Amino acid sequence: MNSKNKKLLSKINSEKRHASITKIKRKRRRELALIILIFLIFISVVAFMYSPYMKIKNIEVQGYSQITKEEILTAGNINENIKTWSVKDSEVEKNLKDKFNIFKNVTVKSKIPSSIKIEVEEYRLIAQKKLDDGGYQVIMENGQTYNGQIRNSYNLPILENFENNGKLEEVYKNLAQLKSEVLVQISEIINSNDSEIIIYMKDGQKVKAMSSTFAQKLNYYDEISKYIKDKNKTTLNLINGAYLETEKSNAEKNSKIKELLNKMNGSDSKEKESTKEDKENKEDNDEQVNSDNSEEKVNSNKTVNQNKNKSTNQSKTAKKTTTTQNTNKTKKTS
């Protein structure tokens, strides 16, 4: 290979090497630029996440009544100093339900950049149970006691003379089924005998009902009460159907019951007397029968004896006649 060719080959190799180095440098510059870009983006994101722009500014709470908005935010650790992205919705929901047993449902929705919405549903308060020491327990619709502060009681019905048993649970269940507009009209519910209860309405009406089913009929109280003129002197009986009891009807009812009882007692007395007379008559009849049997026996014996005697006399007479005839025959022969 001559010198000219060698120079040409050397030049070509040099150009290739230069092109390769240039290519590598460009690649490294691109990689470095990408790394710097990623770093800048990361720094920007971090700066944005921790910027005041990401702090909670819009807080919306709905559905509360007995619990205040401040209590809900405190229990959920929600305030304007925390960042929206740091809020864990499910954790806040659990904390609120654990803190307040009155919450039936809790829903938390946080939204970037700076808003959060909390919706709560409270159990309805249905009654106040009177305790032996004179205090009261507030009862929720699920039958549990509410121990928090009462802010809206709505003049709840007072339950008296109830023990913690199945009957009380039936009352709770029926109160939870009552319409709100009917529930607020109840003043007191007093335990009666067996499965019955006495309900006093705020308008003065007294109601008798079954503890297990009174909600079905009492929900129509507004319609029924329109036709009751004197609520202070009548009793609405919802045990069997629905009808009014008055002092007059009760007096008549008691009179009829008393009359019926007297008749029953009189009938029992007559029956006893009749039974006694029948027994005495039976005894007399038995004695008469025994007496008659005795007389018949005596008469029978007498008859038998008479027949015997008669037969004996007849035999003697026949014997005497025969003897006389023989004597006469002998004389003639002589």
Side-chain angles (χ1 to χ4, degrees):
M1 184 179 295
N2 55 26
S3 60
K4 189 176 180 181
N5 290 336
K6 286 182 179 180
K7 287 181 181 179
L8 181 61
L9 184 60
S10 176
K11 186 178 180 180
I12 292 172
N13 290 335
S14 176
E15 288 177 358
K16 285 183 178 180
R17 226 175 5 263
H18 180 73
S20 177
I21 293 171
T22 303
K23 189 176 180 180
I24 292 171
K25 286 181 178 180
R26 286 177 182 173
K27 185 178 180 181
R28 287 180 178 177
R29 280 197 296 266
R30 283 197 300 269
E31 289 176 351
L32 181 60
L34 181 61
I35 292 171
I36 293 172
L37 180 61
I38 292 172
F39 178 75
L40 291 175
I41 292 173
F42 176 76
I43 294 297
S44 299
V45 169
V46 170
F48 179 76
M49 294 291 284
Y50 283 91
S51 69
Y53 187 70
M54 292 298 292
K55 286 184 178 181
I56 294 177
K57 295 178 182 178
N58 301 319
I59 302 174
E60 186 180 357
V61 182
Q62 297 178 346
Y64 60 91
S65 176
Q66 302 298 333
I67 309 301
T68 65
K69 180 179 178 179
E70 290 72 22
E71 288 175 328
I72 292 173
L73 296 179
T74 300
N77 194 26
I78 305 297
N79 57 69
E80 294 181 351
N81 294 321
I82 65 173
K83 307 299 184 293
T84 310
W85 54 265
S86 67
V87 176
K88 295 180 180 179
D89 295 350
S90 59
E91 187 175 330
V92 175
E93 291 173 359
K94 183 178 182 302
N95 290 340
L96 290 176
K97 293 192 78 171
D98 290 344
K99 177 72 174 178
F100 306 108
N101 69 334
I102 195 173
F103 285 159
K104 188 176 184 179
N105 292 307
V106 179
T107 303
V108 178
K109 293 180 180 179
S110 56
K111 187 177 180 181
I112 294 175
S114 59
S115 64
I116 185 169
K117 184 177 181 180
I118 301 174
E119 290 182 290
V120 299
E121 181 184 0
E122 295 181 354
Y123 285 110
R124 186 168 59 139
L125 305 183
I126 57 173
Q128 297 181 83
K129 183 176 179 290
K130 191 173 183 179
L131 305 177
D132 295 336
D133 60 2
Y136 293 90
Q137 280 184 342
V138 177
I139 308 301
M140 300 182 292
E141 63 179 308
N142 61 350
Q144 300 299 315
T145 302
Y146 172 58
N147 298 319
Q149 184 177 350
I150 304 299
R151 292 183 172 85
N152 299 302
S153 65
Y154 311 112
N155 297 318
L156 296 171
I158 296 174
L159 307 181
E160 292 190 34
N161 303 330
F162 283 93
E163 297 180 359
N164 292 321
N165 52 24
K167 186 175 183 180
L168 185 60
E169 291 178 0
E170 289 178 345
V171 172
Y172 290 162
K173 183 178 179 181
N174 277 266
L175 285 173
Q177 295 172 1
L178 284 177
K179 299 175 183 176
S180 298
E181 56 269 25
V182 176
L183 182 65
V184 297
Q185 296 183 60
I186 301 176
S187 175
E188 291 180 272
I189 300 178
I190 299 176
N191 189 17
S192 186
N193 52 17
D194 298 330
S195 58
E196 297 179 12
I197 56 174
I198 305 297
I199 303 172
Y200 290 96
M201 309 300 287
K202 291 177 182 176
D203 59 8
Q205 184 67 58
K206 179 181 177 182
V207 181
K208 289 182 181 178
M210 301 292 289
S211 62
S212 59
T213 57
F214 69 89
Q216 301 174 15
K217 299 175 183 177
L218 199 62
N219 269 328
Y220 297 96
Y221 179 74
D222 288 336
E223 288 78 5
I224 296 172
S225 64
K226 294 177 184 177
Y227 303 98
I228 304 175
K229 294 181 179 179
D230 194 348
K231 294 181 173 61
N232 292 314
K233 293 184 179 180
T234 58
T235 299
L236 177 60
N237 194 317
L238 300 179
I239 296 174
N240 295 313
Y243 61 91
L244 280 180
E245 295 178 357
T246 63
E247 293 179 359
K248 183 178 179 181
S249 67
N250 285 335
E252 291 177 354
K253 183 179 177 181
N254 293 333
S255 176
K256 288 181 180 179
I257 292 173
K258 188 175 181 181
E259 184 180 345
L260 180 62
L261 290 174
N262 289 334
K263 283 183 179 180
M264 290 174 67
N265 291 333
S267 176
D268 290 343
S269 296
K270 287 181 180 179
E271 189 175 345
K272 286 180 181 178
E273 290 177 2
S274 176
T275 303
K276 188 175 180 181
E277 288 179 0
D278 291 343
K279 188 175 181 180
E280 290 177 353
N281 290 334
K282 186 177 180 181
E283 290 178 353
D284 292 340
N285 290 334
D286 290 343
E287 290 179 359
Q288 185 67 33
V289 168
N290 291 334
S291 176
D292 291 343
N293 289 337
S294 299
E295 288 180 1
E296 282 183 11
K297 192 173 181 181
V298 171
N299 291 333
S300 176
N301 291 334
K302 284 183 179 180
T303 303
V304 170
N305 290 333
Q306 287 177 356
N307 290 333
K308 247 186 202 181
N309 292 333
K310 188 175 180 181
S311 176
T312 303
N313 291 332
Q314 286 178 353
S315 176
K316 286 182 179 180
T317 303
K319 190 175 180 180
K320 187 175 180 181
T321 301
T322 303
T323 303
T324 304
Q325 287 178 354
N326 290 333
T327 302
N328 290 333
K329 191 176 180 181
T330 303
K331 284 180 177 182
K332 282 181 179 184
T333 306
S334 299

